[in-house]
Amino acid sequence: MTQLWDFSGGIHPAENKHLSTSRPITGAGLPEVLVLPLQQHIGEPAEACVAVGDRVLKGQKIADVTGGMGVPVHAPTSGTIESVSLQPVPHPSGMSDWCITLKPDGKDEWAPLNPVTNYRDLDRETVLERIRDAGISGMGGAGFPTNIKLRPPRDRKVNTLILNGAECEPYITADDMSMRENAGEIIAGLRIMAWILRPERVVIGIEDNKPEAISALRKAADGTQTEIAVIPTKYPSGGEKQLIQVLTGMEVPSGGIPADIGVMCQNVGTAIAVSAAIHRGEPLISRVTTITGYAVTDPGNFEVLIGTPIDHLLAQAGQENSKLHRLVLGGPMMGYTLETPAVPVVKTTNCVIAATATELPEPAPEQPCIRCSMCAEACPMELLPQQLFWYSKAGEFDKAEHLNLFDCIECGACSYVCPSSIPLVQYYRAAKGEIRVQQAEQLKADRARERFEARQARLEREQQEKEQRRKERAKAAAEAQARKQAEAEKADAEGQPANDRAAKAALVQEALARKKAKGQQQAETNAGAAETKAASEPAPDIDALEKQLAQATAKLNTMQSMLEDARAESADNVEKLERAVTKNHDRVKRAEEALAEARQSVAATDTQTTDS
Amino acid sequence: MALAQQSSPHARNARSTSQVMLWVILAALPGLLALTLFFGWGNLVNVVWCIAVALAAEAAILKLRKRPVAFFLKDNTAAVTGLLLGLSLPQFAPWWVSAVAVIAAIVMAKQLYGGLGSNPFNPAMVGYALVLISFPVAMTTNWAQPGLLWETAPGFGDTLSMIASGQQTAVDAFTMATPLDEYKHKITTHTAAEVLAHPTFGDGVARGWEWVNAAFLVGGLVLVGLKIITWHIPVSMLAGLAIMSLAFGSNADLYAPLSMHLLAGGTMLGAFFIATDPVSAASSHQGKLIYGAGIGILIYLIRTWGAYPDAVAFSVLLMNFAVPFIDHYTPPRTYGHHKPRRGIPGKGQG
């Protein structure tokens, strides 16, 4: 006996499964047109690889994903491509998307198939590639490409492979009927997946309200090392996270995937598709879908070609137009309403409920929350739904996120039990959407600011470089002049050797002045560098600039006193000293200017900071 | 064909708020029956009167607040508030005392805070505490003598006229202190045996009161069984009270014994019907345990060392103050997380 764990919360809604289990799975027939959405799974949409007017064969690839994650789409029957156009697709928003419309020719002519006689002779990559080429994506929930899911990250070894046959949503019996009628194929598909993953444990989880399916699977699994775990009926035990908890006692870390704890879940429908793809070479072109509800006279399960419009299915099941009030795609707990029955069945379509007004009545008007906490009792994720509701309603999204809003799996158990008929899940969806929008806008604003700052920095740097070049040219010119002057003086001194001592003193002074000038030049370069640095940084280094100004002023003072001394002695280097003083004067002025500029830019940055 | 557009879940099977409240009223009936049997018609008259005033007050203030009157009256919450006050006020409390309590509960404690779901304090207990402090004599001298209905208690007509006249002198013959009050005041000068000789205690713990408490316990267990309340608050409250009683008052010659604390006064009514008011109680399991235990401990402290005898009302109100704090620090650990996220979001937290 398999050890089972319980998950907290959960509810027991009326099952209504008997409606659609009274007869075996039947074919849904060939509709007049098949509408095949190019995007039927999470990832990149496929691109049509056929042209309008082409004749295609059953199973022929008609669209593929060339870049990124995705799987191809195949023609469900032979016929002609009528159009590639925008059509309404099954989506909560009622949106339209690109679809290939196929007009069946009624011949149902297969393209050549390429089955594998013994997959164990192939390497695993080839088998995964075949699963991808068969267009298989998860058939239970979100529809993740199966070949990618079957290839967990290298450091994550899958120890437990779970086949999800819980089917906890009321009404839906597609998996139940598949397990009853196709147990052998399910086990065959499961064995292929187990061969790819090499797990230590392979277990099929089924709720105990499906005794026929349990016995059929037990029989089919006899002799294989597959565990059949019969779990208590409780919604949402078929939720991936809940099923993992029930079967292993482990929890998938928040924000992580099951592979993080060495577990993988696959749906029973996916197992059938994998088996068909490998053993018979058939791509995924049909699936079992439940058509049920009290607004159809013959509810049941149908083997439906992907792309079959739902109104065709409803007609097969005996739709009573006068009774139909609400059309739900999926189960009554997590499914969404359709605006029109003219949308096609896709790879994830497991159920259509044609409900009457009494069956799924309009919700009662929302009353105030009385904090009864029944929602928290029902929540399988151990959240505090009522707090999330207040924060979501009040727009206090940070608090809602703090209380793990994003861990909500939107199973609807809280809304189901709320005595005040508050549509809690709707509030969470709205809050999640709002938070995502805010995050996207924040990201956009951040990028714009970065771009602006980078541009500002570039402009300043260019300005600095220009200034630097100008200074260098000026200096070169000044030096050239000084050299000329010195040469002239030297010539003079040679002409007056008597005044030897004064000439020597003059040379010394000149050397000193040159050295000083050099030093100053360096200081200037530094100052320039400091300025560039200051410009690229939000706050320029005012202290350094002030120091430079002080140094320059000190130098100017020294020069002036030297000049005065020279004048007093009426030495002949007075002229030179005078020039030096003028030069230093300029330097002081420049330093002052730089400082003032820096102060201004600091002030500007400050205002900017306060503004933003 | 116009198809209904709706957000999931499409199936709902909730007991509505009005049904929940109706169950609370039904579950309180055994207690009301026991009160009537042992203390006469007083509580029954009070309950009817209080519910009538509650509905009238609710309707009036909803009208003033321009809210849909029928929509909110149908939720039965005002009726429950009236019922709880009718059950907890003294049997012969004058009509105007009850009316003041009910009006304060509905108008001040509930509607002025925003109506159903928005009140931070238990409305019934706000009303009760208000009249207890305002009219201490009327509130402490109007408790009926215990005794079976058909033996000693005044008849229905007499009860009605006593409540209607509001003349406290007229009822002296039928009134006495509650057992907890009696025990507390006498035990300072007498032994336990001498105190228990007083007729209010009878042969058991406290004549009449033990049956009333047992009846409320039964009603409360029904509510737990129906999942209208969870076990956390009643159990932790009774446990808190019991532990305090065993730790500080195990000597019956000094303090009221444990049996008295659990079976006399409004203990069970408080544990299952008053402290569990969802609007003003803590919400997570852990929070409920803390909240209930706090009430239990405070009941013991107030009963033993406090000046007022009516500990349940004050304890519940005091813990109501703490509810936002408790709720902030007792969220459960969410699936897939290592530990719960306590407090309010700050920097560095998500």
Side-chain angles (χ1 to χ4, degrees):
Chain A
M1 194 65 202
T2 313
Q3 190 192 348
L4 296 178
W5 284 263
D6 193 14
F7 63 90
S8 66
I11 52 171
H12 296 93
E15 290 175 13
N16 284 317
K17 290 190 187 252
H18 60 277
L19 284 180
S20 51
T21 54
S22 55
R23 57 171 190 187
I25 299 172
T26 48
L30 209 56
E32 273 180 29
V33 284
L34 290 162
V35 180
L36 297 139
L38 292 175
Q39 175 139 40
Q40 301 189 24
H41 52 71
I42 291 174
E44 298 299 315
E47 271 173 56
C49 51
V50 287
V52 173
D54 283 4
R55 180 167 189 267
V56 293
L57 296 173
K58 183 176 187 172
Q60 184 184 328
K61 191 191 284 183
I62 55 172
D64 203 353
V65 177
T66 41
M69 185 174 85
V71 293
V73 179
H74 300 82
T77 185
S78 60
T80 324
I81 303 296
E82 244 184 10
S83 69
V84 181
S85 57
L86 282 172
Q87 305 273 348
V89 292
H91 191 272
S93 70
M95 69 175 194
S96 292
D97 201 1
W98 289 100
C99 300
I100 296 176
T101 308
L102 173 68
K103 177 96 180 158
D105 56 13
K107 292 179 189 154
D108 209 27
E109 199 179 323
W110 273 103
L113 298 178
N114 185 15
V116 178
T117 38
N118 192 356
Y119 62 88
R120 286 162 206 272
D121 294 340
L122 302 174
D123 65 32
R124 288 174 169 79
E125 278 303 317
T126 313
V127 173
L128 284 168
E129 202 48 42
R130 277 174 177 260
I131 289 172
R132 183 202 172 273
D133 283 341
I136 302 175
S137 55
M139 291 166 75
F144 195 82
T146 301
N147 64 308
I148 294 176
K149 196 169 176 181
L150 281 171
R151 208 182 320 216
R154 290 209 177 281
D155 55 332
R156 304 273 189 249
K157 169 89 178 81
V158 170
N159 299 314
T160 308
L161 173 62
I162 295 174
L163 202 61
N164 188 344
E167 202 166 48
C168 62
E169 274 254 20
Y171 283 97
I172 310 180
T173 54
D175 286 351
D176 183 8
M177 296 308 282
S178 300
M179 288 187 284
R180 292 188 202 185
E181 297 185 17
N182 261 331
E185 186 122 30
I186 290 171
I187 298 293
L190 181 59
R191 292 184 71 178
I192 296 169
M193 294 195 272
W195 174 79
I196 292 167
L197 295 164
R198 283 172 278 201
E200 287 155 23
R201 183 183 172 204
V202 178
V203 51
I204 307 179
I206 318 175
E207 280 192 343
D208 57 13
N209 60 357
K210 302 173 185 66
E212 295 93 341
I214 293 163
S215 64
L217 275 179
R218 282 228 167 97
K219 210 192 258 169
D222 197 33
T224 66
Q225 287 182 323
T226 308
E227 236 173 283
I228 310 290
V230 180
I231 63 173
T233 298
K234 177 163 98 167
Y235 177 84
S237 60
E240 188 176 69
K241 291 178 174 180
Q242 279 65 42
L243 187 61
I244 288 171
Q245 195 172 16
V246 168
L247 294 177
T248 68
M250 292 190 288
E251 293 180 9
V252 181
S254 174
I257 56 168
D260 293 340
I261 52 168
V263 181
M264 181 180 296
C265 264
Q266 294 282 358
N267 176 265
V268 290
T270 314
I272 294 177
V274 167
S275 169
I278 301 302
H279 292 301
R280 298 201 298 276
E282 292 174 9
L284 175 55
I285 53 168
S286 72
R287 64 157 297 141
V288 179
T289 300
T290 307
I291 308 293
T292 183
Y294 285 95
V296 288
T297 50
D298 303 309
N301 284 281
F302 295 88
E303 183 71 39
V304 186
L305 294 179
I306 306 291
T308 303
I310 280 168
D311 37 18
H312 173 84
L313 282 181
L314 290 172
Q316 297 282 310
Q319 177 191 349
E320 293 180 277
N321 259 332
S322 55
K323 285 189 179 175
L324 182 62
H325 174 67
R326 196 188 306 195
L327 207 51
V328 178
L329 197 74
M333 296 303 295
M334 292 184 76
Y336 50 87
T337 48
L338 291 177
E339 284 174 13
T340 162
V343 296
V345 165
V346 294
K347 291 172 184 176
T348 50
T349 309
N350 53 6
C351 183
V352 179
I353 306 172
T356 63
T358 44
E359 190 178 4
L360 297 179
E362 297 287 314
E366 184 179 332
Q367 283 174 284
C369 169
I370 55 165
R371 298 177 24 109
C372 67
S373 300
M374 285 178 195
C375 47
E377 300 289 321
C379 181
M381 297 300 285
E382 289 166 89
L383 295 162
L384 288 174
Q386 75 187 30
Q387 273 87 335
L388 291 176
F389 157 64
W390 292 330
Y391 295 142
S392 300
K393 195 178 178 181
E396 294 178 280
F397 298 129
D398 52 337
K399 288 182 184 163
E401 273 193 273
H402 182 72
L403 288 179
N404 304 321
L405 173 65
F406 280 96
D407 283 294
C408 170
I409 57 169
E410 299 181 18
C411 69
C414 50
S415 303
Y416 183 84
V417 298
C418 179
S420 298
S421 33
I422 302 170
L424 293 160
V425 182
Q426 211 170 311
Y427 281 101
Y428 308 148
R429 285 198 192 109
K432 284 182 188 175
E434 193 64 37
I435 291 170
R436 287 197 191 105
V437 167
Q438 279 181 6
Q439 281 170 346
E441 274 173 5
Q442 185 62 45
L443 202 68
K444 231 161 93 184
D446 284 349
R447 286 210 184 115
R449 206 190 57 238
E450 274 164 30
R451 267 203 308 275
F452 174 76
E453 280 172 358
R455 178 172 180 275
Q456 285 299 99
R458 177 175 57 79
L459 289 180
E460 291 222 9
R461 196 176 57 241
E462 280 171 8
Q463 191 63 34
Q464 290 294 337
E465 279 165 7
K466 226 170 171 179
E467 181 73 3
Q468 185 68 25
R469 278 197 299 275
R470 193 187 63 73
K471 277 179 190 164
E472 272 163 13
R473 274 199 306 275
K475 197 167 295 140
E479 267 170 12
Q481 199 155 14
R483 215 175 304 126
K484 225 166 154 186
Q485 191 82 31
E487 268 163 21
E489 272 174 18
K490 210 171 164 188
D492 280 0
E494 272 164 8
Q496 295 173 324
N499 201 351
D500 200 28
R501 204 182 65 89
K504 257 183 194 167
L507 273 175
V508 169
Q509 286 292 348
E510 194 190 356
L512 267 174
R514 258 209 306 274
K515 200 173 175 191
K516 261 177 201 158
K518 210 170 158 191
Q520 218 131 31
Q521 186 189 343
Q522 194 131 28
E524 255 176 15
T525 323
N526 286 348
E531 265 174 35
T532 324
K533 207 176 150 202
S536 63
E537 273 171 14
D541 196 354
I542 292 195
D543 286 356
L545 287 172
E546 270 172 353
K547 222 182 203 166
Q548 267 161 23
L549 176 63
Q551 273 171 0
T553 322
K555 243 170 224 166
L556 177 65
N557 290 341
T558 332
M559 281 299 186
Q560 259 165 348
S561 63
M562 267 168 78
L563 176 63
E564 265 156 30
D565 286 354
R567 273 194 186 133
E569 285 173 27
S570 46
D572 51 0
N573 57 353
V574 169
E575 222 178 82
K576 243 171 5 196
L577 280 168
E578 266 171 359
R579 269 205 308 276
V581 165
T582 331
K583 221 167 172 181
N584 273 307
H585 232 327
D586 290 344
R587 260 163 216 159
V588 169
K589 224 171 167 178
R590 272 206 297 278
E592 267 169 357
E593 271 165 19
L595 184 59
E597 236 175 64
R599 282 199 176 127
Q600 236 167 25
S601 81
V602 166
T605 324
D606 281 352
T607 2
Q608 239 174 22
T609 324
T610 25
D611 280 350
S612 59
Chain B
M1 175 172 38
L3 292 168
Q5 297 302 301
Q6 211 86 141
S7 173
S8 69
H10 305 282
R12 281 164 187 271
N13 187 25
R15 266 183 304 234
S16 65
T17 303
S18 69
Q19 283 170 307
V20 167
M21 294 299 154
L22 199 62
W23 273 110
V24 172
I25 293 171
L26 291 177
L29 291 184
L32 179 61
L33 183 72
L35 278 166
T36 311
L37 278 177
F38 286 94
F39 297 99
W41 297 100
N43 283 111
L44 196 58
V45 174
N46 276 351
V47 164
V48 173
W49 169 240
C50 288
I51 290 180
V53 176
L55 293 176
E58 177 106 331
I61 187 113
L62 282 171
K63 189 105 185 145
L64 274 176
R65 292 184 62 215
K66 297 187 173 67
R67 295 288 190 276
V69 176
F71 179 76
F72 281 109
L73 273 192
K74 270 191 283 184
D75 65 26
N76 289 335
T77 51
V80 167
T81 303
L83 171 80
L84 293 178
L85 276 170
L87 291 173
S88 37
L89 289 168
Q91 287 81 12
F92 301 123
W95 64 271
W96 51 270
V97 169
S98 318
V100 168
V102 174
I103 291 168
I106 297 290
V107 176
M108 278 171 49
K110 184 177 169 189
Q111 292 291 343
L112 291 190
Y113 276 102
L116 178 62
S118 305
N119 47 298
F121 303 106
N122 186 319
M125 291 302 101
V126 169
Y128 190 95
L130 183 115
V131 291
L132 179 65
I133 297 169
S134 309
F135 316 114
V137 178
M139 286 294 288
T140 49
T141 57
N142 284 303
W143 294 95
Q145 261 186 22
L148 279 176
L149 184 58
W150 46 88
E151 285 176 6
T152 55
F156 182 73
D158 290 343
T159 307
L160 211 55
S161 70
M162 276 186 270
I163 290 172
S165 71
Q167 295 293 313
Q168 284 148 47
T169 45
V171 296
D172 273 356
F174 311 107
T175 57
M176 55 171 46
T178 61
L180 278 164
D181 214 17
E182 182 76 21
Y183 203 102
K184 179 178 166 183
H185 288 113
K186 283 248 181 88
I187 201 66
T188 47
T189 48
H190 298 71
T191 63
E194 286 165 349
V195 174
L196 290 174
H198 191 274
T200 190
F201 297 101
D203 300 326
V205 180
R207 189 174 160 84
W209 287 103
E210 58 216 4
W211 290 103
V212 168
N213 274 287
F216 279 122
L217 174 63
V218 169
L221 292 178
V222 168
L223 290 184
V224 174
L226 289 171
K227 295 192 171 166
I228 284 172
I229 58 173
T230 61
W231 57 268
H232 302 81
I233 292 176
V235 166
S236 65
M237 175 182 144
L238 296 175
L241 181 60
I243 290 166
M244 287 296 282
S245 175
L246 292 173
F248 293 98
S250 52
N251 185 350
D253 286 329
L254 291 173
Y255 299 105
L258 174 61
S259 57
M260 189 80 72
H261 277 294
L262 292 181
L263 294 173
T267 308
M268 292 299 169
L269 175 66
F272 288 94
F273 290 85
I274 292 171
T276 51
D277 163 38
V279 178
S280 55
S283 54
S284 68
H285 286 173
Q286 199 192 348
K288 283 176 181 173
L289 289 175
I290 295 170
Y291 175 77
I295 293 174
I297 291 166
L298 283 171
I299 287 177
Y300 186 82
L301 294 177
I302 295 172
R303 277 183 180 172
T304 310
W305 293 292
Y308 279 97
D310 295 82
V312 174
F314 290 118
S315 306
V316 168
L317 290 175
L318 283 171
M319 288 310 289
N320 284 166
F321 273 106
V323 161
F325 176 79
I326 294 173
D327 274 353
H328 271 312
Y329 288 95
T330 54
R333 182 194 66 94
T334 304
Y335 175 106
H337 286 257
H338 285 294
K339 53 181 196 243
R341 283 184 166 177
R342 300 187 191 284
I344 25 184
K347 278 193 175 161
Q349 285 180 303

